[in-house]
Amino acid sequence: MKPEAITSSYRRWAPIYDLTFGRITNTGRRHATQVANTIGGRVLEVGVGTGLALPYYNASLDVTGIDFSEDMLTRARTKVSEEKLDHVRDLRQMDARNLDFPDASFDTVVAMHLISVVPDPEQVMAEMARVCKPGGQILLVNHFAREEGWLAWLERKFAPFADWMGWHSNFPKDRVLGVHDLQLVEDTPLTSLGVFTFLRMEKAA
């Protein structure tokens, strides 16, 4: 998706996101944050959106969130304030293709339902790997394209509407698996139909 499409799409979604797509994606959000909680330390959530995952992180963590959409971030900041989420250090507007953090800044980098939205997913993966500490973890939750079956057919039919929907229905998994420093250590379907998948990657020490 182009940056301007992302901005307009999430401006439309922001007021109703929590009650619509937010509910559909709750299983993946819970799973990813549970894994992050077991790792501990500093967490970067790329594509924090309205902050739906922020209450699920342990209070002992140090969490930073970034998002391209100011409309989403406004709601995330309200959530942090109203729910007194003191473990959230910062929420910043940022392009995930150019993360404004030093190398090896975070123990865990989390990206949920983001990687099929960004204009250059390979660059985003490289940036997430860069800011992750050696031996650290990158946790992805996303929908990935199927190669066959009726759901694969449906994904292809919806593909032309990506800019309007705010995500790609036929995004291939191999586009996130090409970073040299990252090793895939877990690939788990999160629902019976496998609509969403959890990927855990470890950065070389």
Side-chain angles (χ1 to χ4, degrees):
M1 293 179 65
K2 297 177 181 179
E4 57 269 23
I6 295 172
T7 299
S8 62
S9 176
Y10 282 93
R11 181 173 295 123
R12 290 195 305 270
W13 276 110
I16 59 172
Y17 186 89
D18 289 12
L19 296 176
T20 53
F21 194 68
R23 288 187 175 178
I24 296 169
T25 57
N26 193 54
T27 298
R29 192 175 304 112
R30 288 278 194 172
H31 186 83
T33 51
Q34 285 172 2
V35 175
N37 289 340
T38 66
I39 298 168
R42 295 193 68 197
V43 175
L44 172 65
E45 186 176 332
V46 181
V48 69
T50 63
L52 280 170
L54 296 176
Y56 301 149
Y57 292 107
N58 282 348
S60 59
L61 297 182
D62 183 330
V63 179
T64 296
I66 69 123
D67 204 280
F68 191 74
S69 168
E70 279 288 1
D71 295 277
M72 293 292 214
L73 284 170
T74 296
R75 286 164 171 78
R77 293 182 181 115
T78 299
K79 199 174 270 99
V80 168
S81 175
E82 290 179 350
E83 299 185 27
K84 297 180 172 55
L85 303 177
D86 296 333
H87 57 287
V88 179
R89 170 183 289 204
D90 199 9
L91 295 173
R92 297 171 59 183
Q93 194 282 330
M94 197 176 296
D95 188 332
R97 296 172 295 177
N98 184 24
L99 296 175
D100 188 20
F101 302 107
D103 295 357
S105 294
F106 300 94
D107 299 282
T108 309
V109 181
V110 184
M112 295 174 280
H113 311 288
L114 165 93
I115 206 65
S116 57
V117 174
V118 293
D120 188 348
E122 291 84 359
Q123 175 63 19
V124 172
M125 288 299 302
E127 276 292 275
M128 291 195 295
R130 179 184 66 79
V131 302
C132 186
K133 295 178 181 179
Q137 308 274 312
I138 292 181
L139 311 179
L140 300 183
V141 176
N142 215 82
H143 170 79
F144 297 107
R146 295 167 181 79
E147 295 182 0
E148 57 186 21
W150 69 271
L151 285 173
W153 176 85
L154 196 63
E155 290 164 357
R156 291 191 293 271
K157 290 296 182 182
F158 275 102
F161 305 102
D163 285 353
W164 183 85
M165 293 189 300
W167 61 288
H168 282 281
S169 60
N170 64 338
F171 183 82
K173 189 186 296 182
D174 59 10
R175 294 194 68 179
V176 305
L177 301 177
V179 180
H180 177 71
D181 287 342
L182 298 179
Q183 178 183 3
L184 181 65
V185 294
E186 183 180 349
D187 182 340
T188 304
L190 293 176
T191 62
S192 58
L193 287 176
V195 176
F196 301 116
T197 300
F198 173 75
L199 302 181
R200 182 164 61 94
M201 305 178 190
E202 185 171 309
K203 184 175 179 180

